[in-house]
């Protein structure tokens, strides 16, 4: 049995008590109060602070870091979700300083990018034909073709080769192209990262704002101390500065994570320009350039009989140096090229000092073929090009003018521009001038005028039809604002030495039809005076449109109005063209004009 030890209290009046006295009792009561006030939570917090301070001292951090430990979130962001990674092959893309929606793939150690990413950001000349199962790349003189899913390629000069990787693969109804293959024909850089999979694509070398991390900090998804952490940034790392806020800065890290850090954690802000990649030397696209300003008259010819009007029409022209007769067309569903051309016509034009650029359009006979059944196929494109140039050569003409105006849907855009590239190769090889007619880009942005401006000799803007019979309200054929805006848009992408502006030799007269809707009829310039007289219309100059305008209500209650294309409006357009240093003028169409119109045009061509 264990005895419990007891402690005997001193009896009253004992020596012990007399020694301690009342102060002893007071100390005992104070001790009891102190024990009652002890709080374990406070003790734990104090202990953490002490340990944190010891850690801060040992790790060389300052007291601010200690505060940071308890006030800033340390929650690690889920980078798989952040990049929306959907599988082991899926790769997010950082293009320049932005995340983009399109994806890349990592297959067998090779990076592949979505064909749209390649075309829109790295090199626009790659053409994917889903119909043929091929990927094509076109240079000034060669077409290089690779079958989808294969390593081998061939070219139109008889060359062939094989890469160490599959050149292009399809997945999820998307074509992915090996970036190493794209680099064979392009200047850009890429760098891949894992955990998670993302890739940095760099195709521009503009000056950047850069800074250095002054002390260890966190890169966060959003600006604010409670935002999740993408990763730690060490002292001495460099970041690209993207956007600056009051206390936070949006940055891109060295491993291409884009997030936010505190502004006070930066030092040595500076500007740097990345060293450009120049591995690939772009081949030169040579062109035929005439020594004088072009003055091209379109000749509307519906059949072979129309060729007989040349003598009459030329007799009324002045200063013309190129004539463009409407001769070539697609004849059938196989892509056979038909012609209403005449060698005698070419001889007469040459004798008059004119070059002949044969117009090849897609409007005539269009009920017998579908353009989108032909252009996506390499074999059909080759057939059309071969036969068209054979006709130009047979006729003894000097150039080909492509007038495909049915490129009105996005799916037609890529086959059309590939057709243009391939046509340019054939024209360049045979020394034939290659020009292309285009709607003003205000109305049609599918024809890729920028690429046309690279491969063609001349781009002709059809500077008319601002308002047509399908317009919701009446208006001019070509107001001065419309003309200037269209030219400026094209000059954003094409050298002015290649740009020709086409002017109208016609107006549209507006009136209500039997249903009460507004309609119009075409009135040729040479017939304008008679039309105004017949309708009792008096015109006056409208500065806003740069045209003479008039309207009248006839005795039967019909209201007519018209914006007139005449030598005065033509002179206003030419002023704009001269100020933009264009390559010349074209007219639609000879036989519709007045002699005064040629006086205005000749002054322009002769530099007066």
């Amino acid at each position: 049995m264990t005895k419990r030890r007891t402690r005997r209290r001193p009896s009253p009046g004992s020596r012990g008590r007399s020694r301690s006295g009342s102060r002893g009792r007071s100390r005992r009561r104070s001790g009891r109060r102190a024990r009652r006030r002890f709080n374990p939570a406070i003790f734990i917090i104090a202990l953490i602070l002490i340990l944190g301070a010891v850690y801060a001292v040992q790790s060389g951090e300052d007291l601010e870091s200690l505060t940071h430990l308890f006030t800033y979130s340390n929650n690690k962001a889920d980078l798989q979700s952040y990049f929306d990674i959907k599988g082991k092959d899926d790769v997010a893309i950082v293009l320049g300083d932005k995340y983009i929606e399109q994806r890349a793939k990592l297959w067998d150690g090779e990076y592949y990018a979505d064909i749209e990413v390649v075309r829109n950001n790295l090199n626009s000349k790659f053409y994917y034909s889903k119909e043929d199962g091929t990927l094509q790349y076109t240079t000034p003189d060669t077409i290089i073709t690779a079958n989808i899913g294969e390593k081998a390629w061939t070219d139109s000069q008889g060359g062939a080769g094989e890469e160490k990787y599959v050149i292009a693969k399809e997945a999820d109804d998307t074509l992915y192209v090996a970036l190493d293959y794209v680099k064979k024909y392009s200047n850009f850089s890429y760098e891949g990262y894992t955990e998670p999979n993302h890739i940095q694509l760099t195709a521009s070398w503009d000056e950047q704002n850069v800074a250095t991390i002054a002390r260890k900090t966190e890169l966060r998804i959003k600006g604010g101390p409670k935002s999740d952490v993408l990763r730690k940034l060490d002292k001495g790392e460099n970041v690209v500065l993207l956007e600056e806020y009051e206390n936070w800065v949006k940055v891109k890290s060295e491993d291409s994570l884009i997030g936010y850090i505190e502004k006070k954690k930066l030092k040595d802000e500076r500007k740097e320009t990345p060293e450009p990649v120049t591995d690939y030397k772009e081949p030169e696209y040579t062109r035929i350039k005439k020594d004088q300003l072009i003055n091209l008259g379109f000749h509307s010819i519906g059949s072979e009989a129309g060729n007989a009007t040349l003598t009459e029409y030329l007799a009324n022209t002045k200063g013309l140096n190129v004539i463009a007769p409407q001769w070539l067309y697609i004849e059938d569903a196989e892509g056979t090229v038909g012609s209403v051309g005449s060698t005698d016509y070419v001889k007469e034009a040459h004798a008059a000092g004119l070059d002949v650029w044969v117009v090849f359009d897609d409007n005539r006979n269009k009920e017998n073929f579908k353009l989108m059944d032909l252009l996506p196929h390499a074999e059909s494109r080759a057939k059309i090009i071969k036969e068209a140039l054979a006709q130009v050569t047979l006729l003894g003409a000097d150039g080909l003018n492509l007038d495909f105006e049915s490129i009105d849907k996005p799916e037609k855009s890529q086959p059309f521009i590939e057709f243009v590239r391939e046509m340019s190769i054939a024209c360049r090889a045979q020394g034939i001038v290659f020009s292309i007619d285009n709607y003003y880009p205000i109305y049609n942005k599918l024809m890729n005028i920028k690429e046309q401006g690279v491969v063609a000799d001349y781009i002709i803007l059809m500077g008319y039809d601002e308002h047509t019979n399908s317009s919701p309200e009446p208006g001019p054929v070509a107001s001065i604002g419309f003309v200037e805006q269209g030219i400026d848009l094209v000059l954003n992408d094409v050298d002015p030495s290649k740009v020709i502006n086409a002017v109208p030799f016609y107006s549209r007269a507006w009136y209500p039809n039997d249903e009460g809707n507004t309609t119009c009829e075409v009135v040729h310039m040479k017939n304008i005076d008679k039309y105004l007289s017949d309708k009792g219309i008096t015109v006056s100059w409208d500065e806003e449109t740069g045209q003479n305008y008039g309207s009248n209500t006839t005795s039967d209650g019909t209201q007519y109005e018209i914006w007139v294309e005449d030598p005065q409006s033509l002179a206003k357009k030419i002023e704009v063209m001269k100020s933009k240093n264009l390559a010349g003028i074209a007219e639609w169409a000879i036989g519709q004009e007045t002699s005064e119109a040629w006086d205005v045009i000749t002054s322009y061509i002769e530099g007066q």
Side-chain angles (χ1 to χ4, degrees):
M1 182 176 181
T2 303
K3 288 185 177 181
R4 184 177 62 183
R5 289 186 176 182
T6 61
R7 183 176 179 184
R8 184 177 296 176
R9 292 183 181 179
S11 60
S14 66
R15 184 179 296 176
R17 180 176 179 179
S18 63
R19 284 196 302 265
S20 58
S22 62
R23 287 182 296 175
R25 290 193 299 273
S26 176
R27 281 195 296 270
R28 287 195 295 272
R29 285 194 297 270
S30 294
R32 287 196 295 270
R33 283 198 298 271
R35 285 192 295 272
R36 284 196 298 269
R37 291 177 180 173
F38 175 75
N39 190 327
I42 294 175
F43 175 77
I44 292 171
I45 292 172
L47 182 60
I48 292 174
L49 287 171
I50 292 169
L51 292 175
V54 171
Y55 168 77
V57 171
Q58 291 179 342
S59 60
E61 299 289 340
D62 54 23
L63 292 178
E64 183 184 346
S65 301
L66 181 60
T67 305
H68 183 281
L69 182 65
F70 302 107
T71 60
Y72 287 65
S73 170
N74 287 316
N75 291 337
K76 187 72 184 293
D78 183 349
L79 294 181
Q80 296 286 327
S81 298
Y82 183 67
F83 281 111
D84 195 26
I85 301 297
K86 293 183 170 62
K88 65 178 183 178
D89 299 330
D90 191 31
V91 179
I93 298 176
V94 182
L95 177 65
D97 297 328
K98 293 181 180 179
Y99 297 137
I100 62 175
E101 292 183 5
Q102 293 94 336
R103 314 300 289 182
K105 297 291 183 182
L106 181 58
W107 287 319
D108 299 323
E110 189 75 27
Y111 283 101
Y112 292 76
D114 182 335
I115 182 65
E116 293 304 314
V117 173
V118 172
R119 278 201 295 238
N120 294 334
N121 303 286
L122 306 179
N123 191 321
S124 64
K125 290 183 174 63
F126 283 95
Y127 172 63
Y128 168 42
S129 172
K130 194 167 187 177
E131 293 80 359
D132 286 347
T134 58
L135 177 71
Q136 288 188 303
Y137 188 77
T138 307
T139 71
D141 58 6
T142 308
I143 306 166
I144 302 140
T145 303
N147 292 325
I148 305 304
E150 297 181 6
K151 298 180 179 181
W153 54 265
T154 58
D155 68 39
S156 56
Q157 304 275 13
E162 184 172 303
E163 306 300 335
K164 296 178 181 179
Y165 46 82
V166 173
I167 292 170
K169 298 183 180 183
E170 290 178 312
D172 304 322
D173 203 31
T174 300
L175 184 73
Y176 294 89
V177 185
L179 286 174
D180 281 348
Y181 188 73
V182 179
K183 277 186 69 64
K184 288 182 63 174
Y185 308 104
S186 321
N187 283 317
F188 70 96
S189 65
Y190 74 90
E191 189 166 358
Y193 303 92
T194 58
E195 298 181 3
N197 283 339
H198 63 286
I199 188 171
Q200 171 72 54
L201 291 179
T202 304
S204 63
W205 323 105
D206 299 329
E207 185 179 70
Q208 297 176 324
N209 293 319
V210 178
T212 301
I213 301 300
R215 53 186 179 272
K216 184 181 293 185
T217 188
E218 291 85 13
L219 179 66
R220 298 180 181 275
I221 291 180
K222 298 179 180 179
K226 300 303 181 184
S227 178
D228 288 350
V229 176
L230 290 169
R231 79 166 177 86
K232 299 281 187 182
L233 293 175
D234 292 327
K235 179 180 178 181
E237 286 193 56
N238 292 320
V239 292
V240 177
L241 308 181
L242 304 179
E243 294 179 41
E244 185 174 335
Y245 302 91
E246 185 176 358
N247 296 314
W248 292 79
V249 183
K250 185 178 182 181
V251 303
K252 184 178 73 173
S253 66
E254 292 176 354
D255 55 350
S256 295
L257 298 180
I258 297 175
Y260 295 80
I261 61 172
E262 286 183 289
K263 190 184 297 185
K264 64 185 178 182
K265 299 296 178 69
L266 295 172
K267 67 176 183 179
D268 298 337
E269 292 190 27
R270 59 201 183 272
K271 294 184 181 297
E272 291 183 358
T273 301
E275 184 176 351
V277 173
T278 56
D279 300 341
Y280 177 67
K281 185 177 181 181
E282 186 76 29
E284 180 184 3
Y285 282 80
T286 58
R287 60 170 292 204
I288 298 173
K289 183 179 183 297
K290 296 297 182 178
D291 294 333
Q292 74 275 22
L293 289 175
I294 300 295
N295 182 12
L296 179 151
F298 284 107
H299 190 178
S300 179
I301 296 177
S303 65
E304 290 184 19
N307 293 321
T309 61
L310 177 63
T311 302
E312 175 190 351
Y313 286 176
L314 286 183
N316 297 321
T317 66
K318 295 178 185 178
L320 206 66
N321 50 39
V322 179
I323 193 164
Q326 288 182 299
W327 279 348
L328 303 186
Y329 59 94
I330 297 176
E331 197 169 77
D332 52 38
E334 284 69 47
T336 304
V337 175
S339 172
V340 295
S342 161
T343 55
D344 289 339
Y345 179 109
V346 174
K347 291 175 182 177
E348 182 179 350
H350 283 169
L354 306 182
D355 283 354
V356 179
W357 296 0
V358 178
V359 177
F360 179 19
D361 68 49
D362 64 344
N363 188 53
R364 193 192 319 242
N365 203 41
K366 60 185 177 182
E367 66 278 359
N368 290 337
F369 70 94
K370 292 181 179 179
L371 202 58
M372 285 305 290
D373 287 343
L374 295 169
L375 294 192
H377 298 282
E379 186 176 349
S380 297
R381 292 194 303 273
K383 173 183 170 66
I384 293 170
I385 291 168
K386 180 179 180 181
E387 293 189 6
L389 289 191
Q391 289 285 354
V392 172
T393 302
L394 179 66
L395 291 163
D398 310 281
L400 183 139
N401 172 254
L402 187 67
D403 187 32
F404 278 20
E405 298 185 23
S406 63
I407 312 305
D408 53 0
K409 296 179 181 179
E411 58 268 25
K412 295 182 180 181
S413 181
Q414 287 295 329
F416 168 74
I417 201 62
E418 180 61 20
F419 176 72
V420 166
R421 292 187 192 106
E422 294 174 10
M423 178 72 83
S424 79
I425 292 175
C427 288
R428 195 174 293 109
Q430 296 188 33
I432 293 172
V433 177
F434 182 35
S435 63
I436 309 173
D437 300 335
N438 282 269
Y439 291 113
Y440 263 40
I442 302 166
Y443 296 136
N444 190 330
K445 299 180 180 180
L446 300 174
M447 297 176 71
N448 198 340
I449 288 180
K450 183 176 183 178
E451 185 71 1
Q452 290 184 34
V454 173
V455 303
D457 296 309
Y458 290 99
I459 304 299
I460 300 178
L461 302 184
M462 297 183 288
Y464 34 76
D465 286 348
E466 180 181 2
H467 293 84
T468 67
N469 203 30
S470 60
S471 299
E473 58 185 21
V477 168
S479 70
I480 194 64
F482 168 81
V483 170
E484 186 162 16
Q485 181 185 11
I487 291 173
D488 285 343
L489 286 171
V490 172
L491 293 183
N492 287 335
D493 294 320
V494 183
D495 189 282
S497 70
K498 286 190 172 188
V499 178
I500 298 169
N501 184 62
V503 298
F505 279 164
Y506 65 92
S507 304
R508 292 185 186 275
W510 301 84
Y511 57 91
N513 60 19
D514 294 339
E515 289 76 35
N517 299 317
T518 300
T519 188
C520 64
E521 64 175 301
V522 171
V523 182
H524 293 162
M525 187 182 290
K526 65 183 180 182
N527 298 325
I528 282 290
D529 287 345
K530 182 177 185 307
Y531 183 87
L532 296 177
S533 176
D534 290 347
K535 303 303 180 186
I537 299 174
T538 300
V539 298
S540 60
W541 183 254
D542 176 35
E543 191 64 36
E544 181 178 357
T545 59
Q547 293 176 299
N548 283 297
Y549 168 79
S551 65
N552 185 41
T553 301
T554 57
S555 58
D556 62 358
T558 303
Q559 183 179 11
Y560 292 87
E561 61 180 333
I562 188 169
W563 287 261
V564 177
E565 293 292 348
D566 57 17
Q568 191 176 1
S569 68
L570 181 57
K572 291 289 288 186
K573 294 176 178 60
I574 288 176
E575 285 178 13
V576 172
M577 293 158 57
K578 289 170 67 175
S579 71
K580 309 294 183 181
N581 295 314
L582 299 192
I585 189 170
E587 303 90 18
W588 181 268
I590 61 170
Q592 301 175 4
E593 74 283 2
T594 62
S595 60
E596 292 81 6
W598 289 117
D599 292 336
V600 174
I601 293 171
T602 301
S603 294
Y604 166 54
I605 296 300
E606 293 179 352
Q608 300 177 9

